[in-house]
Amino acid sequence: MIRFHNTYTRRKDEFQPLVQGEVRMYTCGPTVYDYAHIGNFRAYVWEDLLRRYLKARGFQVTQVMNITDVDDKTIRGSVLAGVTLDEYTEKYIQAFFEDLDALDVERAEHYPRATRHIPEMVDLIQKLMQQGNAYESKGSIYFRLDSFPPYGRLAGLDREGMIANFRVDSDEYEKSDVRDFVLWKGHREGEPFWETTLGRGRPGWHIECSAMSMRYLGESFDIHTGGSDNIFPHHENEIAQSEAATGKPFVRTWMHCAHLVVNGEKMSKSAGNFFTLRDLLQRGYDPRAIRYLLVSQHYRKPINFTLDGIAWAASNLNRLGDCLRRLDACAGVGENEILTDATRRTRQEFYDSMDDDLNSAAALGFIFELVREINSAADRSEVPERNAVELHRLFTEVSAVFGLRLGAAPALDQELEALVSRREELRRKKQFKEADAIRDQLLGLGIVLEDTPEGVRWKKRT
Ligand code: AMP
Ligand code: ZN
């Protein structure tokens, strides 16, 4: 039995899709005004883990991730750059997919762009107006909060304190600002617009996800995800717009990941405490280690991001890779029954942990216990081929779920040697800052340098 924590019910519920064997899920995607930061990728990589796990458990998954290519930020960027909105966002859409590839994130089935789905949004808004859930004011259209009594359930808001008949025009606002929110923004000078039956203007952010999710997944679907900052107002508003329009439950399971934080504060563009994936790759960090760091923590716990954390992740990956290489070298007939039992038990514990609200940290903990057993058996040459094959199978399953490409070639020793010599040369020239940067880069790859009488040597951190 799979159980997922549902933000809507505030407990772990048994997961049952609407159609047996199929999962339809929607994940809020990037606003393409800049490069995504590593906090954003915590959400996208976790959603990829969810997707991969559902597939491993035999479900056919249809995933939709929107691309927000029109909003205040993209418009501001395109105006500053003096190019059209499409020209401006194209670069960041491309970069986004490159980053997903670098992190081995599987492709969703659909990546709808907001600007390509204006008619669906207009239809939805029109329906809301006809039913009295929306009204026009000075060319913009707003959702009437008091027309939807369940408003506030997802975020646990107290309805008493809500202010109706006041309006909020911006897409992002705080809980203290609960008001009728904007669905359609009337045209303002200098902004791109669409000529529609609602008048000239552009959509608000929230309506985009309601219209595009229902377009690709139907009026009711299984899972909707995002980071916890999406709960309010974005997902609360999505529920209001969708359920008011259709009269049907919109989403069965709402899942949200905790934030990636830096010194206790959410990593974000506005706080200025962010790294893009590109920053980290340029410094020589291995994208597989970054992915490992993101998937190895339970998704509802914050990740405190540090560069040391990447080094820790790299050393864990090395341990797994080393263990697999040892298995490659195992030979001999017969069976180590203790190891056979341990393998069977670990497979069970792995799936049980993942079934329990995707507890990846616990699942990996069991894998590392097994690694210890394998290593000590291998030290005694007690891993016959039959066991090695079975262990390989388990690691292949784990690797597919976590997207870690275990067993893939590690960084070439030659490249490492070259970096070490370069650092030595810099030290001889007393360029210590540059030399230290290389040492940090190597640390990020899980390599520690040791000074010995014969000179500097490197070894993998375990
Ligand atoms: P945005 O581009 O800000 O709409 O964010 C895109 C996705 O990344 C959303 O699902 C956010 O909830 C998520 N997100 C943004 N910042 C973080 C963070 N620091 N940690 C985890 N998820 C985040
Ligand atoms: Zn969304």
Side-chain angles (χ1 to χ4, degrees), residues 26 28-29 66 205 209 224 234-235 238:
Y26 187 86
C28 285
N66 64 300
W205 171 39
C209 284
H224 195 314
H234 187 46
H235 291 166
E238 278 189 50

Side-chain angles (χ1 to χ4, degrees), residues 96-159:
F96 178 65
F97 285 112
E98 283 165 20
D99 288 354
L100 291 184
D101 287 345
L103 288 170
D104 282 318
V105 172
E106 279 188 2
R107 287 292 155 98
E109 280 60 35
H110 304 278
Y111 289 99
R113 292 174 59 167
T115 53
R116 309 301 193 257
H117 292 78
I118 304 292
E120 286 91 334
M121 298 178 212
V122 169
D123 284 352
L124 189 56
I125 295 170
Q126 214 131 38
K127 196 164 178 191
L128 290 169
M129 287 188 79
Q130 279 155 14
Q131 296 180 175
N133 300 108
Y135 62 91
E136 193 260 6
S137 171
K138 296 188 191 139
S140 291
I141 299 174
Y142 299 85
F143 187 88
R144 193 188 299 280
L145 272 199
D146 60 11
S147 74
F148 187 70
Y151 191 86
R153 271 195 58 180
L154 181 76
L157 299 183
D158 174 11
R159 275 194 67 80

Side-chain angles (χ1 to χ4, degrees), residues 27-33 36-44 47 68 73 172 205 225-231 234-235 256-261 265-269:
T27 50
C28 285
T31 305
V32 281
Y33 72 107
H37 59 68
I38 200 80
N40 299 125
F41 284 110
R42 185 212 184 158
Y44 306 135
E47 286 151 352
T68 302
K73 290 183 271 200
E172 291 169 79
W205 171 39
T225 64
S228 56
D229 56 309
N230 282 158
I231 298 173
H234 187 46
H235 291 166
H256 295 97
C257 69
H259 287 143
L260 184 95
V261 298
E265 193 183 3
K266 178 190 167 200
M267 181 180 281
S268 68
K269 287 271 157 60

